[in-house]
Amino acid sequence: DAKTTQPNSMESNEEEPVHLPCNHSTISGTDYIHWYRQLPSQGPEYVIHGLTSNVNNRMASLAIAEDRKSSTLILHRATLRDAAVYYCILAFTNDYKLSFGAGTTVTVRA
Amino acid sequence: DTGVSQDPRHKITKRGQNVTFRCDPISEHNRLYWYRQTLGQGPEFLTYFQNEAQLEKSRLLSDRFSAERPKGSFSTLEIQRTEQGDSAMYLCASSLLASGGYEQYFGPGTRLTVT
């Protein structure tokens, strides 16, 4: 399985943007880049996914490097509710089974 | 709109006992996944179903574990002869292939404690 590397933790102030980096240098052509987050005491929650082009949705934006070896999840205005563990995951298009790493713990200061 | 539900939410059992967990996916979802999460770690894939067919099992799923999805609806995960190392949160997720299949909806999990 292709692996991802993320920082262990990041801190942000409320209403400021958060940029979460992810390295995936061994990504294959059939791997989509997925982001999930897990709030305390809850199951993971889908955030966004992409293949080659940058993607935007109501929760976040995903910026994918041209060589696809890295990506950045962008939370445009962090709120206290965004405090969670964020996972960057590569998933093969046929089965989408998710291989979670340790993720990045995001702390948002009021 | 009901999400993925899991039952029970908590289970305490003695080593050597058998336990069974149930997952009810979102009703029209044809894919169902089981994951296991230990404290401080991300979830680990265990197995997944497409309708009633079990398409893949992780090597983490020893012979003591069995999962079923009769009629392609709810699923059960049984652990026989539980060991202390089985203590974890067991998460179920479902997705809809017709919508691309990429977004998995997770349930709240069943927390298993083996004493």
Side-chain angles (χ1 to χ4, degrees), chain A residues 76-94:
Chain A
H76 295 286
R77 291 183 64 205
T79 69
L80 296 179
R81 195 195 170 277
D82 293 321
V85 180
Y86 286 78
Y87 298 99
C88 171
I89 304 161
L90 302 182
F92 177 51
T93 55
N94 271 7

Side-chain angles (χ1 to χ4, degrees), chain A residues 34 36 38 43-44 46 49 87 94-98 100-101, chain B residues 31 33 35 37 42-43 45 48 56 100-104 106:
Chain A
H34 294 248
Y36 279 74
Q38 189 170 23
Y46 168 84
H49 81 289
Y87 298 99
N94 271 7
D95 55 33
Y96 289 119
K97 69 178 189 217
L98 304 174
F100 292 80
Chain B
R31 278 204 173 158
Y33 301 79
Y35 295 86
Q37 185 172 26
F45 168 78
Y48 86 100
E56 186 170 343
Y102 51 79
E103 182 173 353
Q104 293 183 26
F106 281 80

